[in-house]
Amino acid sequence: AVCARVCARVRCVVLCCVVCRPSAGHRSGLLYKKGKGRNEWKPRWFVMNQKEGSLSYFKSRSSDKPLGVIQLRQANACFAHNVTGHPNSLQIISPDGPGADGKTRNLFVYSEAGRDIVEWIVAIRHARLCLLKVTAGDMLTRDFTRAGYLDKTGPTVSNGWRRRWFVLDGRRLRYYGSPLDPFELNDIGIGTIANGYAVHDEITDRRRTAPQYGITLVTPERSFYLNSNSLEDYKSWLSALQELIDTPIEVTSITM
């Protein structure tokens, strides 16, 4: 599939297309969208309008009223073949997406053609770049820093461990019941040491049973207790979280 082959080089491909195709401000076409709460994919007609800064989807091409509208200024898009199982798929993340009600909305779509889905992500990233009036690479949509399963326990000692899908997206750590959930269970903003954030390579609450690969994420509000199922993932999550906490906060990090 074209999407899978291009994914590893997406940053280079997208930046080149952005520079070479400055007039790509409008795009429309058929994509298959996953329904909320069920593993059902339905054809939807998508329309991207750069001038309005929106990505809308309709029940069909002849429909007048959109089923949902995504504001591109705050949206992120990345390939999602490893999550959906479809080789030509995208995950579109929007903090004010349709039905979000204050949460971050995940939209999963796929195309039957690999080239089509690559052109969609190029168009979305180009539109976002133009809306924000920044140089290529500053605030384009981006791939997640980390994504994968971790076990998590609740704030009280009596809470058990539950498997959750975690996504580290910029300075936001979100977790879901499963990778294809439309909304997160929680959205954790990550600041710096000066803001009261820290990460430890163990479960710091001695009242709890310590798993082999335990991680404690400390925030000003509460501590989150996590566990990885492998040493490799454990080291990778620790490194990603620590690097983020050690990095000064920029204005772009807050708005993303």
Side-chain angles (χ1 to χ4, degrees), residues 3-5 7-8 78-91:
C3 174
R5 294 198 299 270
C7 186
C78 56
F79 290 121
H81 57 279
N82 58 330
V83 174
T84 65
H86 290 282
N88 310 316
S89 58
L90 289 182
Q91 180 177 357

Side-chain angles (χ1 to χ4, degrees), residues 14-89:
V14 169
L15 291 178
C16 290
C17 290
V18 164
V19 172
C20 297
R21 299 174 58 196
S23 61
H26 182 89
R27 182 176 177 82
S28 61
L30 183 70
L31 294 172
Y32 290 85
K33 174 187 166 293
K34 181 184 177 297
K36 288 192 296 183
R38 57 188 181 276
N39 192 25
E40 184 179 7
W41 297 82
K42 292 186 176 181
R44 294 291 182 250
W45 187 258
F46 280 75
V47 176
M48 190 202 75
N49 189 317
Q50 180 181 303
K51 185 177 180 180
E52 296 179 357
S54 65
L55 176 65
S56 306
Y57 58 92
F58 301 78
K59 186 175 182 179
S60 67
R61 186 172 186 174
S62 60
S63 300
D64 294 326
K65 185 177 181 180
L67 297 174
V69 180
I70 297 168
Q71 299 304 315
L72 292 175
R73 182 176 290 274
Q74 293 294 329
N76 185 24
C78 56
F79 290 121
H81 57 279
N82 58 330
V83 174
T84 65
H86 290 282
N88 310 316
S89 58

